[in-house]
Amino acid sequence: MTLSKSTLLAALLGATALGLGANAASAADLRIALQSDADVLDPDQSRTFVGRIVYTALCDKLVDITPDLEFIPQLATEWEYSEDGTALTMKLREGVVFHDGTPFNAEAVAANIERSKTMEESRRKSELKSVESTEVLGEYEIKFNLTGPDATLLAQFADRSGMMVSPTAAAEAGADFGLNPVCSGPFSFAERVAQDRIVLNKFADYWNAGEINFDSVTYLPIPDTTVRLANLQSGDVDMIERLAATDLGQAKGDDGIQVESAVSLGYQGITFNVANGEKGDNPWGNDKRLRQALNYAIDREAINQVVFDGAFAAGNQPVPPNSPWYNANHTVPARDVEKAKALLAEAGFPDGIDLEVQVPNTTVPLQLMQVVQAMAAEAGINITITSKEFATLLSDQSAGDYQASQIGWSGRVDPDGNNHQFVTTGGGINDSKYSNPDVDRLMNEARVSTDPAVRKVAYDAARDILAEDLPRMVIYHQTWIWALDSGISGFVPYPDGMIRLEGMKKDG
């Protein structure tokens, strides 16, 4: 007997709902469905967006942000730069302990910075490159001595570089810290089953425990957007992140669901392997004209309409068009198939060329690349789509085992976070291994000035080069869309896409 597509989908939805129903959430457990599974739960080693969502409950940072992108205290209560900008002094919150009972103090911060800067596996080295040394001024006061002014440092401390882990646990576990992470956030690590769940329990000794209203929070990776929404509608999860734009109408039409949104700080696109190992030594890595051809072969506005029902924004830079850091001299290019064909011919491929793109095995990336695939074919670019679980895709990308990746970045408050580590020589997540001394110089210049106008000039000059070299090709900027059970209150949407649990409650 042959089952229809609709019958198979119904069976899948029913099986998933039953599977979750067997462990139905209690009122004191918040269950959040994620688009994918997190990678290693170590702030120094990790790089996934969903991992940062988990960290929001697990690991407090030195600094946080408001929904309006202003820096506010978290573990640091106040800070001040020296007059010449070469030192940053922070006063720290008293009475904070890590989940293993280790006290949080200036010594702990110093140990964290040292780990981030020196651990072999750390991806935070380039983010903290300006920190020459730390100086403990008192039990709750620390000074960061800088190699020069660094306008990005507070933004780094509002992200993974500012996430504090227990020095005791980190010293004992080394590179295996992510198997049993110990931080100081509102929830402590309980268990993890890969591709199934991450469970955190409320930390009774949290410094702001009065704002936490759940006994536990469970994160469930559910890659299929339709299945995620179905589990919310059935009550098996309380909240889903990244509701598909195509499901927005259905969710808004359900009285049991509330929808929240915020424009993101990041982008989605394609990263090319330019020089990362043997696989970087290929026509796409060696000849920028091929990358330019693909850039002209796609219609970004059509992609936004077809894949996202017009809910997102076409893009061609790491910051969105409404950002003050956007370079207006490089607007979103119109589709030009003939120009794409001419570039292919100029590069020596008049009859076309193949390209393998690895893609996360979730609904939206696959839909996106199928549309890109069809558009590119009209110019003679034959794209093969290789679907991978997201953590595997990242691992392969880091190792250079890829030709191109459909991947993006959730975005950072400071433009440095969307640029420096991706395109500078030796950047922490420069998986292209792209290297251009002029780009290095301009990106470093943008870091040391506190004058936005001076920084903008440097970023614009770097964009002139990067628009030509195209180690990564931006396609669109998304809007974060969350769907929640109508009984949830207190959720505040943030442009960084994080789910902050302080103040959130569930009725019933």
mmCIF file of all heavy atoms in Angstrom, residues 247-263:
data_model
loop_
_atom_site.group_PDB
_atom_site.id
_atom_site.type_symbol
_atom_site.label_atom_id
_atom_site.label_comp_id
_atom_site.label_asym_id
_atom_site.label_seq_id
_atom_site.Cartn_x
_atom_site.Cartn_y
_atom_site.Cartn_z
ATOM 1 N N ASP A 247 3.974 30.171 8.222
ATOM 2 C CA ASP A 247 3.020 29.669 9.224
ATOM 3 C C ASP A 247 2.461 30.789 10.094
ATOM 4 O O ASP A 247 1.702 30.540 11.036
ATOM 5 C CB ASP A 247 3.694 28.636 10.140
ATOM 6 C CG ASP A 247 4.022 27.341 9.418
ATOM 7 O OD1 ASP A 247 3.330 27.025 8.432
ATOM 8 O OD2 ASP A 247 4.974 26.654 9.827
ATOM 9 N N LEU A 248 2.849 32.024 9.777
ATOM 10 C CA LEU A 248 2.464 33.152 10.623
ATOM 11 C C LEU A 248 0.954 33.325 10.681
ATOM 12 O O LEU A 248 0.370 33.526 11.756
ATOM 13 C CB LEU A 248 3.124 34.424 10.099
ATOM 14 C CG LEU A 248 3.074 35.677 10.965
ATOM 15 C CD1 LEU A 248 3.619 35.402 12.356
ATOM 16 C CD2 LEU A 248 3.847 36.814 10.310
ATOM 17 N N GLY A 249 0.276 33.219 9.537
ATOM 18 C CA GLY A 249 -1.174 33.377 9.506
ATOM 19 C C GLY A 249 -1.880 32.319 10.321
ATOM 20 O O GLY A 249 -2.835 32.608 11.053
ATOM 21 N N GLN A 250 -1.414 31.073 10.207
ATOM 22 C CA GLN A 250 -2.027 29.985 10.966
ATOM 23 C C GLN A 250 -1.869 30.195 12.462
ATOM 24 O O GLN A 250 -2.812 29.989 13.235
ATOM 25 C CB GLN A 250 -1.385 28.658 10.560
ATOM 26 C CG GLN A 250 -1.956 27.441 11.297
ATOM 27 C CD GLN A 250 -1.247 26.153 10.920
ATOM 28 O OE1 GLN A 250 -0.451 26.117 9.993
ATOM 29 N NE2 GLN A 250 -1.545 25.088 11.650
ATOM 30 N N ALA A 251 -0.688 30.622 12.878
ATOM 31 C CA ALA A 251 -0.448 30.831 14.304
ATOM 32 C C ALA A 251 -1.282 31.986 14.844
ATOM 33 O O ALA A 251 -1.872 31.891 15.929
ATOM 34 C CB ALA A 251 1.035 31.089 14.546
ATOM 35 N N LYS A 252 -1.362 33.076 14.089
ATOM 36 C CA LYS A 252 -2.143 34.228 14.538
ATOM 37 C C LYS A 252 -3.632 33.917 14.581
ATOM 38 O O LYS A 252 -4.385 34.553 15.341
ATOM 39 C CB LYS A 252 -1.878 35.425 13.625
ATOM 40 C CG LYS A 252 -0.516 36.079 13.838
ATOM 41 C CD LYS A 252 -0.364 37.337 12.997
ATOM 42 C CE LYS A 252 0.919 38.079 13.326
ATOM 43 N NZ LYS A 252 1.094 39.309 12.522
ATOM 44 N N GLY A 253 -4.073 32.956 13.800
ATOM 45 C CA GLY A 253 -5.479 32.592 13.784
ATOM 46 C C GLY A 253 -5.881 31.626 14.877
ATOM 47 O O GLY A 253 -7.056 31.266 14.994
ATOM 48 N N ASP A 254 -4.928 31.193 15.688
ATOM 49 C CA ASP A 254 -5.191 30.242 16.774
ATOM 50 C C ASP A 254 -5.296 31.018 18.084
ATOM 51 O O ASP A 254 -4.333 31.647 18.523
ATOM 52 C CB ASP A 254 -4.056 29.219 16.832
ATOM 53 C CG ASP A 254 -4.333 28.065 17.779
ATOM 54 O OD1 ASP A 254 -4.969 28.302 18.831
ATOM 55 O OD2 ASP A 254 -3.918 26.931 17.481
ATOM 56 N N ASP A 255 -6.454 30.958 18.731
ATOM 57 C CA ASP A 255 -6.667 31.696 19.978
ATOM 58 C C ASP A 255 -5.762 31.227 21.109
ATOM 59 O O ASP A 255 -5.554 31.960 22.082
ATOM 60 C CB ASP A 255 -8.129 31.580 20.420
ATOM 61 C CG ASP A 255 -9.078 32.328 19.492
ATOM 62 O OD1 ASP A 255 -8.593 33.245 18.784
ATOM 63 O OD2 ASP A 255 -10.277 31.990 19.465
ATOM 64 N N GLY A 256 -5.228 30.015 20.991
ATOM 65 C CA GLY A 256 -4.371 29.478 22.046
ATOM 66 C C GLY A 256 -2.918 29.858 21.893
ATOM 67 O O GLY A 256 -2.076 29.427 22.690
ATOM 68 N N ILE A 257 -2.623 30.678 20.863
ATOM 69 C CA ILE A 257 -1.238 31.028 20.575
ATOM 70 C C ILE A 257 -1.078 32.541 20.502
ATOM 71 O O ILE A 257 -1.933 33.235 19.961
ATOM 72 C CB ILE A 257 -0.782 30.401 19.240
ATOM 73 C CG1 ILE A 257 -0.729 28.866 19.362
ATOM 74 C CG2 ILE A 257 0.580 30.922 18.811
ATOM 75 C CD1 ILE A 257 -0.394 28.179 18.064
ATOM 76 N N GLN A 258 0.013 33.033 21.056
ATOM 77 C CA GLN A 258 0.395 34.439 20.883
ATOM 78 C C GLN A 258 1.685 34.494 20.073
ATOM 79 O O GLN A 258 2.534 33.604 20.167
ATOM 80 C CB GLN A 258 0.575 35.125 22.228
ATOM 81 C CG GLN A 258 1.551 34.435 23.165
ATOM 82 C CD GLN A 258 1.704 35.157 24.489
ATOM 83 O OE1 GLN A 258 1.914 36.372 24.518
ATOM 84 N NE2 GLN A 258 1.623 34.426 25.589
ATOM 85 N N VAL A 259 1.828 35.507 19.270
ATOM 86 C CA VAL A 259 2.992 35.651 18.393
ATOM 87 C C VAL A 259 3.735 36.930 18.737
ATOM 88 O O VAL A 259 3.121 37.986 18.927
ATOM 89 C CB VAL A 259 2.569 35.659 16.903
ATOM 90 C CG1 VAL A 259 3.776 35.929 16.008
ATOM 91 C CG2 VAL A 259 1.893 34.345 16.527
ATOM 92 N N GLU A 260 5.066 36.839 18.840
ATOM 93 C CA GLU A 260 5.914 37.997 19.088
ATOM 94 C C GLU A 260 7.023 38.025 18.037
ATOM 95 O O GLU A 260 7.411 36.979 17.511
ATOM 96 C CB GLU A 260 6.544 37.927 20.488
ATOM 97 C CG GLU A 260 5.547 37.924 21.639
ATOM 98 C CD GLU A 260 4.946 39.293 21.910
ATOM 99 O OE1 GLU A 260 5.392 40.279 21.267
ATOM 100 O OE2 GLU A 260 4.053 39.383 22.759
ATOM 101 N N SER A 261 7.542 39.208 17.745
ATOM 102 C CA SER A 261 8.586 39.302 16.735
ATOM 103 C C SER A 261 9.532 40.456 17.021
ATOM 104 O O SER A 261 9.201 41.390 17.760
ATOM 105 C CB SER A 261 7.973 39.465 15.341
ATOM 106 O OG SER A 261 7.287 40.695 15.237
ATOM 107 N N ALA A 262 10.710 40.392 16.411
ATOM 108 C CA ALA A 262 11.706 41.471 16.480
ATOM 109 C C ALA A 262 12.621 41.342 15.277
ATOM 110 O O ALA A 262 12.982 40.231 14.880
ATOM 111 C CB ALA A 262 12.516 41.387 17.771
ATOM 112 N N VAL A 263 12.980 42.465 14.683
ATOM 113 C CA VAL A 263 13.907 42.452 13.550
ATOM 114 C C VAL A 263 15.290 42.039 14.043
ATOM 115 O O VAL A 263 15.785 42.553 15.038
ATOM 116 C CB VAL A 263 13.983 43.839 12.879
ATOM 117 C CG1 VAL A 263 15.009 43.828 11.746
ATOM 118 C CG2 VAL A 263 12.618 44.241 12.349
#
